[in-house]
Amino acid sequence: MNVDPRALLRQLYDVAVARALPGHVLAGHLPPPPKGRTLVLGAGKAGGAMVQALEAAWPAEAPLSGLVVTRYGHVPGGWRPRRIELVEAAHPVPDASGLAASEKMLALARGLTADDLVICLVSGGGSALLSLPAPGLTLADKQAVNRALLASGAAIGEMNCVRKHLSAIKGGRLAAACAPARVLTLTISDVPGDDPAVIASGPTVADATTCAEALAICRRHRIELPPAARAGLESGAFETPKPGDERLAGHGLVMLATPQMSLEAAAAAARAQGLQTHILSDEMEGESRVVGGVHAALARAVARRGEPFGRPCVILSGGETTVTVDASRPAGKGGRATEFLLGCALALQGEPGVFVLAADTDGIDGVGPHAGALLTPTSLGRARALGLNPQALLDAHDSASFFAPLGDLLVPGPTFTNVNDFRALLVL
């Protein structure tokens, strides 16, 4: 089979991203304009593109206003909204811009009536962007806890449990503030399992987790809490709206895009080229380098023995892996995707016929400008010829410095959506 591995893997990534673009999926899920006002609120890395799609589809004669916050640099180039205010703020560590936007959202939600409609646009990244602290906490408190969570190796569900309990707007609080108006949440999932209470810390969804669970997570991951945060959690003062809360009754939610939907689109594209394609899971979690080693073991079995899948084939997976950083040592440049790939490279040791792409569907892997990278059978050899030490770079969480000199980083720029990690293995 005549296949260009680089071109094929990049095509599959592009197909997966395209399936999750708001411009392709949002318009068909909008309700008719209500008797009263329509207020648009929201947050996330896809926020700019979601506002763009909504404004294009909403009737020109129908009233429309609101406020959405997205990550810096995540507004589609050259476009500005006409009716909805769009604010940019910091991610993954919150800043004052996100705090001010959160305060303004709650102010806009006051005074709504049962004749009004609130459309909430929620996507991954919204948790950091909605940075209004719980009473008694400061933005600096939230930033410190968030940094500690990001470095702890905690799973996304654990992080968001803590975040929502230290917030004045997440964990269903935004929807509660909109009562008695009807709330429709349009969401793009970036979390394993697609739990809407976890996506962006569920600002419009009842929260079944508790203050006690948030405390336990902090203890388990050795997260040092500011005194006011600890007091609020221990007393239960920071408890969130729970399932059955009357303020959330009658609200609707539509899942516009999910990791599984994007993996299925990529699988269809690979099969169209005559390749057997297998989706492992859209919910893979764990330490990035370890998950990379597991994927390498599977690819090696396919390459050497044709088991459990025959060659040639494509193997896809999604989810959200983690990188646990030693706070006592400076971390290098990288992210979940490139750390996965470097772990995979060391396990494969240049296995012939195995090519791997891993990238974040939002276009940014961690805090760098790259989304991920491409691993080939020659990557380790080329790196060592340049004097690079792959194991030392992995130990320093400096995986991007392995792929950058090879010219194998994937740098698409912000994609304006987010359905989390995308991984594709091609075994020829």
Side-chain angles (χ1 to χ4, degrees):
M1 177 174 288
N2 186 19
V3 173
D4 180 341
R6 289 176 178 270
L8 173 69
L9 292 174
R10 177 57 193 265
Q11 179 199 2
L12 299 185
Y13 171 77
D14 290 341
V15 167
V17 169
R19 171 59 186 82
L21 290 175
H24 295 169
V25 298
L26 186 143
H29 297 284
L30 291 175
K35 180 179 178 181
R37 299 168 50 204
T38 300
L39 179 67
V40 179
L41 303 174
K45 296 175 186 176
M50 293 177 88
V51 169
Q52 184 181 40
L54 194 157
E55 283 204 349
W58 197 252
E61 70 281 1
L64 188 69
S65 63
L67 170 66
V68 173
V69 58
T70 192
R71 181 177 178 167
Y72 290 119
H74 280 245
V75 178
W79 175 83
R80 296 304 302 177
R82 293 177 292 107
R83 297 192 276 178
I84 300 165
E85 183 180 0
L86 188 57
V87 173
E88 296 177 71
H91 178 281
V93 177
D95 68 356
S97 179
L99 187 152
S102 302
E103 289 178 326
K104 188 170 182 180
M105 276 187 214
L106 289 180
L108 290 171
R110 295 190 191 107
L112 294 171
T113 73
D115 289 332
D116 299 326
L117 169 68
V118 180
I119 300 176
C120 286
L121 307 177
V122 177
S123 59
S127 190
L129 297 167
L130 292 173
S131 55
L132 186 63
L137 301 184
T138 66
L139 177 60
D141 291 334
K142 290 272 287 185
Q143 290 170 327
V145 173
N146 210 48
R147 287 191 187 97
L149 284 167
L150 290 167
S152 71
I156 184 64
E158 293 179 309
M159 287 195 282
N160 284 356
C161 174
V162 176
R163 287 165 168 167
K164 67 178 68 174
H165 283 93
L166 300 183
S167 171
I169 191 169
K170 297 190 279 272
R173 292 185 179 94
L174 178 58
C178 294
R182 182 167 65 94
V183 175
L184 172 65
T185 301
L186 303 179
T187 190
I188 293 176
S189 172
D190 72 325
V191 301
D194 305 324
D195 183 351
V198 177
I199 303 165
S201 296
T204 62
V205 181
D207 175 36
T209 69
T210 65
C211 285
E213 289 176 68
L215 266 176
I217 290 165
C218 291
R219 292 192 188 102
R220 184 160 59 249
H221 293 285
R222 298 180 175 85
I223 306 296
E224 186 174 344
L225 290 169
R230 181 171 296 281
L233 293 176
E234 289 178 343
S235 69
F238 290 169
E239 204 51 271
T240 48
K242 298 294 177 242
D245 192 306
E246 290 184 0
R247 295 169 296 175
L248 309 185
H251 292 187
L253 185 142
V254 176
M255 201 71 67
L256 298 176
T258 68
Q260 182 68 20
M261 292 174 187
S262 284
L263 290 174
E264 288 172 356
R271 289 171 185 141
Q273 298 200 32
L275 288 160
Q276 297 181 60
T277 304
H278 311 277
I279 299 175
L280 296 182
S281 173
D282 68 332
E283 299 186 37
M284 289 202 164
E285 298 181 90
E287 198 66 26
S288 292
R289 67 180 68 192
V290 176
V291 178
V294 171
H295 279 66
L298 175 60
R300 197 164 50 242
V302 173
R304 295 179 181 180
R305 299 192 297 274
E307 296 177 347
F309 309 129
R311 294 186 295 122
C313 71
V314 169
I315 302 167
L316 301 173
S317 76
E320 182 167 5
T321 59
T322 53
V323 175
T324 304
V325 178
D326 183 348
S328 67
R329 298 176 56 187
K333 298 176 182 177
R336 300 191 308 264
T338 52
E339 183 140 331
F340 164 89
L341 286 166
L342 190 46
C344 194
L346 287 166
L348 284 170
Q349 287 294 312
E351 183 70 34
V354 178
F355 300 80
V356 189
L357 181 146
D360 198 308
T361 53
D362 70 358
I364 305 294
D365 185 27
V367 295
H370 57 281
L374 177 74
L375 173 66
T376 76
T378 66
S379 294
L380 274 181
R382 288 185 288 135
R384 287 170 174 149
L386 292 173
L388 299 176
N389 183 329
Q391 186 63 57
L393 290 172
L394 183 61
D395 291 342
H397 302 293
D398 200 14
S399 50
S401 296
F402 175 88
F403 291 99
L406 305 181
D408 286 338
L409 285 177
L410 179 65
V411 190
T415 62
F416 313 115
T417 191
N418 182 21
V419 286
N420 230 317
D421 301 344
F422 175 84
R423 293 176 287 269
L425 294 78
L426 172 64
V427 186
L428 296 176

